[in-house]
Amino acid sequence: DTGVSQDPRHKITKRGQNVTFRCDPISEHNRLYWYRQTLGQGPEFLTYFQNEAQLEKSRLLSDRFSAERPKGSFSTLEIQRTEQGDSAMYLCASSSAGLFKDTQYFGPGTRLTVL
Amino acid sequence: EDQVTQSPEALRLQEGESSSLNCSYTVSGLRGLFWYRQDPGKGPEFLFTLYSAGEEKEKERLKATLTKKESFLHITAPKPEDSATYLCAVQAVGGSNYKLTFGKGTLLTVNP
């Protein structure tokens, strides 16, 4: 078990471009979360999947953001028409209900810089 | 709305100087309280989960405790490698979302 992985680790883009990030959760984890973290702040919840179903989206997630988790495995987060305010660390976490009551394990994050 | 407040924002200790970090929370019903460690440029690393008041967990030089309103992370005889940001988060009962609500963290620096 290699933990949660995210790709790319860093992304620099120009304002107005589209970007897509990928998250591979711990195998057999059925819950997957996306969070966003800016400097000096704790992570903020963006969206949540149970298996392939997207069950909740934060008010922070504007129409420019979309997330998918086909077949309940990896997930992608796409940001369309990026803005400078989108610059942040995007974190993915996964968990499995049961014995450990949904402890979330985080990936290394994708650092997005919008110029 | 769930809220988490961590104090102090930053703490500087000498190696071996024990101290505590505080996490105050407001939540409709607590499913769990989580402590994470985060190094610069990396994702949060899980430390502890606490579920009910009075519960305590220990790992090496760290000990986490929980009351109905707050949690403490006690650091005994810290070493420079304990330097990091420590994040506290709560998970509320109810609904189908198991999201975490985080505080801003405490930046701990341990000087040799």
Side-chain angles (χ1 to χ4, degrees), chain A residues 9 31 33 35 37 40-43 45 48 55-56 59 89 91 100-108, chain B residues 1 31 34 36 38 41-46 49 51 87 91 96-105:
Chain A
R9 295 293 309 279
R31 294 176 181 159
Y33 304 79
Y35 292 84
Q37 186 177 26
Q41 303 295 315
F45 168 76
Y48 158 61
L55 296 185
E56 186 163 333
R59 293 187 303 273
M89 174 79 89
L91 294 163
F100 297 105
K101 293 189 180 181
D102 199 67
T103 294
Q104 295 181 28
Y105 297 89
F106 284 81
Chain B
E1 187 174 326
R31 186 193 301 269
F34 299 78
Y36 288 86
Q38 187 173 31
K42 297 188 176 181
E45 175 188 345
F46 171 72
T49 310
Y51 297 108
L87 295 166
Q91 189 178 64
S96 59
N97 188 347
Y98 298 86
K99 69 177 183 182
L100 298 177
T101 300
F102 282 86
K104 293 183 178 181

Side-chain angles (χ1 to χ4, degrees), chain A residues 4 17 22 31 39 69 94 112:
Chain A
V4 179
Q17 298 295 303
R22 177 179 170 124
R31 294 176 181 159
L39 196 63
R69 192 183 183 198
S94 71
L112 173 66

Side-chain angles (χ1 to χ4, degrees), chain B residues 23-76:
Chain B
C23 170
S24 298
Y25 64 90
T26 303
V27 65
S28 53
L30 183 69
R31 186 193 301 269
L33 184 140
F34 299 78
W35 282 99
Y36 288 86
R37 169 193 170 127
Q38 187 173 31
D39 292 305
K42 297 188 176 181
E45 175 188 345
F46 171 72
L47 292 173
F48 303 110
T49 310
L50 302 167
Y51 297 108
S52 57
E55 190 174 359
E56 299 182 351
K57 294 272 182 74
E58 285 190 68
K59 179 181 178 181
E60 296 181 349
R61 295 177 293 282
L62 300 177
K63 178 180 176 180
T65 61
L66 180 65
T67 72
K68 289 186 178 180
K69 294 183 178 180
E70 56 191 350
S71 176
F72 292 93
L73 185 65
H74 307 278
I75 304 176
T76 301

